[in-house]
PDB file of all heavy atoms in Angstrom:
ATOM      1  N   VAL A 128      89.106 105.221  83.213  1.00 97.00           N
ATOM      2  CA  VAL A 128      89.269 103.839  82.749  1.00 97.00           C
ATOM      3  C   VAL A 128      90.282 103.141  83.646  1.00 97.00           C
ATOM      4  O   VAL A 128      91.392 103.640  83.856  1.00 97.00           O
ATOM      5  CB  VAL A 128      89.759 103.791  81.283  1.00 97.00           C
ATOM      6  CG1 VAL A 128      89.921 102.350  80.815  1.00 97.00           C
ATOM      7  CG2 VAL A 128      88.803 104.544  80.374  1.00 97.00           C
ATOM      8  N   GLN A 129      89.882 101.988  84.192  1.00 97.00           N
ATOM      9  CA  GLN A 129      90.805 101.172  84.982  1.00 97.00           C
ATOM     10  C   GLN A 129      91.413 100.135  84.054  1.00 97.00           C
ATOM     11  O   GLN A 129      90.702  99.480  83.294  1.00 97.00           O
ATOM     12  CB  GLN A 129      90.067 100.474  86.123  1.00 97.00           C
ATOM     13  CG  GLN A 129      90.976  99.572  86.941  1.00 97.00           C
ATOM     14  CD  GLN A 129      90.227  98.932  88.079  1.00 97.00           C
ATOM     15  OE1 GLN A 129      89.974  99.579  89.078  1.00 97.00           O
ATOM     16  NE2 GLN A 129      89.861  97.688  87.933  1.00 97.00           N
ATOM     17  N   ILE A 130      92.738  99.996  84.106  1.00 97.00           N
ATOM     18  CA  ILE A 130      93.442  99.015  83.288  1.00 97.00           C
ATOM     19  C   ILE A 130      94.325  98.167  84.195  1.00 97.00           C
ATOM     20  O   ILE A 130      94.543  98.513  85.364  1.00 97.00           O
ATOM     21  CB  ILE A 130      94.313  99.699  82.214  1.00 97.00           C
ATOM     22  CG1 ILE A 130      95.320 100.657  82.874  1.00 97.00           C
ATOM     23  CG2 ILE A 130      93.465 100.421  81.183  1.00 97.00           C
ATOM     24  CD1 ILE A 130      96.318 101.289  81.922  1.00 97.00           C
ATOM     25  N   ILE A 131      94.829  97.086  83.648  1.00 96.00           N
ATOM     26  CA  ILE A 131      95.870  96.317  84.321  1.00 96.00           C
ATOM     27  C   ILE A 131      97.133  96.502  83.498  1.00 96.00           C
ATOM     28  O   ILE A 131      97.136  96.260  82.289  1.00 96.00           O
ATOM     29  CB  ILE A 131      95.513  94.821  84.427  1.00 96.00           C
ATOM     30  CG1 ILE A 131      94.302  94.636  85.326  1.00 96.00           C
ATOM     31  CG2 ILE A 131      96.710  94.025  84.958  1.00 96.00           C
ATOM     32  CD1 ILE A 131      93.808  93.196  85.423  1.00 96.00           C
ATOM     33  N   VAL A 132      98.202  96.977  84.148  1.00 97.00           N
ATOM     34  CA  VAL A 132      99.496  97.076  83.490  1.00 97.00           C
ATOM     35  C   VAL A 132     100.186  95.738  83.715  1.00 97.00           C
ATOM     36  O   VAL A 132     100.443  95.341  84.849  1.00 97.00           O
ATOM     37  CB  VAL A 132     100.335  98.244  84.052  1.00 97.00           C
ATOM     38  CG1 VAL A 132     101.704  98.268  83.395  1.00 97.00           C
ATOM     39  CG2 VAL A 132      99.608  99.562  83.846  1.00 97.00           C
ATOM     40  N   GLU A 133     100.438  95.045  82.613  1.00 96.00           N
ATOM     41  CA  GLU A 133     101.030  93.708  82.675  1.00 96.00           C
ATOM     42  C   GLU A 133     102.524  93.790  82.986  1.00 96.00           C
ATOM     43  O   GLU A 133     103.121  94.868  82.964  1.00 96.00           O
ATOM     44  CB  GLU A 133     100.807  92.977  81.349  1.00 96.00           C
ATOM     45  CG  GLU A 133      99.346  92.732  81.023  1.00 96.00           C
ATOM     46  CD  GLU A 133      98.660  91.735  81.950  1.00 96.00           C
ATOM     47  OE1 GLU A 133      99.365  90.932  82.615  1.00 96.00           O
ATOM     48  OE2 GLU A 133      97.428  91.750  82.017  1.00 96.00           O
ATOM     49  N   LYS A 134     103.141  92.641  83.231  1.00 95.00           N
ATOM     50  CA  LYS A 134     104.563  92.586  83.578  1.00 95.00           C
ATOM     51  C   LYS A 134     105.456  93.080  82.440  1.00 95.00           C
ATOM     52  O   LYS A 134     106.569  93.518  82.688  1.00 95.00           O
ATOM     53  CB  LYS A 134     104.955  91.159  83.973  1.00 95.00           C
ATOM     54  CG  LYS A 134     104.326  90.706  85.273  1.00 95.00           C
ATOM     55  CD  LYS A 134     104.717  89.286  85.603  1.00 95.00           C
ATOM     56  CE  LYS A 134     104.050  88.832  86.885  1.00 95.00           C
ATOM     57  NZ  LYS A 134     104.411  87.449  87.238  1.00 95.00           N
ATOM     58  N   ASP A 135     104.959  93.026  81.199  1.00 96.00           N
ATOM     59  CA  ASP A 135     105.744  93.516  80.062  1.00 96.00           C
ATOM     60  C   ASP A 135     105.433  94.976  79.727  1.00 96.00           C
ATOM     61  O   ASP A 135     105.953  95.517  78.754  1.00 96.00           O
ATOM     62  CB  ASP A 135     105.533  92.638  78.834  1.00 96.00           C
ATOM     63  CG  ASP A 135     104.104  92.668  78.314  1.00 96.00           C
ATOM     64  OD1 ASP A 135     103.234  93.326  78.920  1.00 96.00           O
ATOM     65  OD2 ASP A 135     103.850  92.022  77.270  1.00 96.00           O
ATOM     66  N   GLY A 136     104.562  95.626  80.504  1.00 96.00           N
ATOM     67  CA  GLY A 136     104.223  97.022  80.285  1.00 96.00           C
ATOM     68  C   GLY A 136     103.019  97.247  79.390  1.00 96.00           C
ATOM     69  O   GLY A 136     102.571  98.377  79.215  1.00 96.00           O
ATOM     70  N   SER A 137     102.486  96.178  78.828  1.00 96.00           N
ATOM     71  CA  SER A 137     101.291  96.303  77.989  1.00 96.00           C
ATOM     72  C   SER A 137     100.061  96.482  78.874  1.00 96.00           C
ATOM     73  O   SER A 137     100.120  96.318  80.092  1.00 96.00           O
ATOM     74  CB  SER A 137     101.126  95.076  77.087  1.00 96.00           C
ATOM     75  OG  SER A 137     100.909  93.918  77.868  1.00 96.00           O
ATOM     76  N   VAL A 138      98.946  96.810  78.244  1.00 97.00           N
ATOM     77  CA  VAL A 138      97.702  97.088  78.958  1.00 97.00           C
ATOM     78  C   VAL A 138      96.695  95.983  78.659  1.00 97.00           C
ATOM     79  O   VAL A 138      96.586  95.521  77.524  1.00 97.00           O
ATOM     80  CB  VAL A 138      97.138  98.462  78.515  1.00 97.00           C
ATOM     81  CG1 VAL A 138      95.738  98.683  79.027  1.00 97.00           C
ATOM     82  CG2 VAL A 138      98.052  99.571  78.982  1.00 97.00           C
ATOM     83  N   SER A 139      95.936  95.573  79.685  1.00 96.00           N
ATOM     84  CA  SER A 139      94.868  94.588  79.481  1.00 96.00           C
ATOM     85  C   SER A 139      93.664  94.961  80.347  1.00 96.00           C
ATOM     86  O   SER A 139      93.769  95.805  81.236  1.00 96.00           O
ATOM     87  CB  SER A 139      95.352  93.179  79.833  1.00 96.00           C
ATOM     88  OG  SER A 139      95.579  93.059  81.219  1.00 96.00           O
TER      89      SER A 139
END
Side-chain angles (χ1 to χ4, degrees):
V128 180
Q129 178 178 283
I130 57 175
I131 295 176
V132 177
E133 297 292 340
K134 292 179 182 180
D135 64 357
S137 64
V138 169
S139 68

